[in-house]
Amino acid sequence: LKRDGSVRCWGSNTFGMATPPKDEVFASIAAGASQTCGVRRADSEVVCWGKLDYGTPPAGERFLSVSVGEYHACGVREAD
């Protein structure tokens, strides 16, 4: 995660997990085995990319942080 909120990834990109979405600015990111997620600065929503076979982040919810495992992701919501 760069100071300007952009993401730079490298390594295996089998499922697109090392190719972050363009023009997104993140407050934090977390990488797992096959997906990467980030908390957007603008609205605190979670955005994930890569292999999303096991679900996608809930829309419209604001998060403080997110962590990613091999088959799941968890986040701390602002409302919690």
Side-chain angles (χ1 to χ4, degrees), residues 41-64:
R41 275 190 192 170
D43 58 10
S44 298
E45 287 194 26
V46 172
V47 176
C48 296
W49 57 95
K51 188 174 184 179
L52 304 176
D53 292 355
Y54 300 99
T56 57
E61 291 194 39
R62 297 172 60 89
F63 288 84
L64 298 172

Side-chain angles (χ1 to χ4, degrees), residues 15-38:
F15 303 108
M17 65 279 205
T19 306
K22 295 188 185 303
D23 301 323
E24 290 281 8
V25 177
F26 293 96
S28 64
I29 59 168
S34 59
Q35 69 175 337
T36 305
C37 297

Side-chain angles (χ1 to χ4, degrees), residues 4 8 20 22-23 34 39 41 58-59 67 72 74:
D4 66 0
R8 172 111 164 96
K22 295 188 185 303
D23 301 323
S34 59
V39 178
R41 275 190 192 170
S67 62
H72 68 285
C74 299

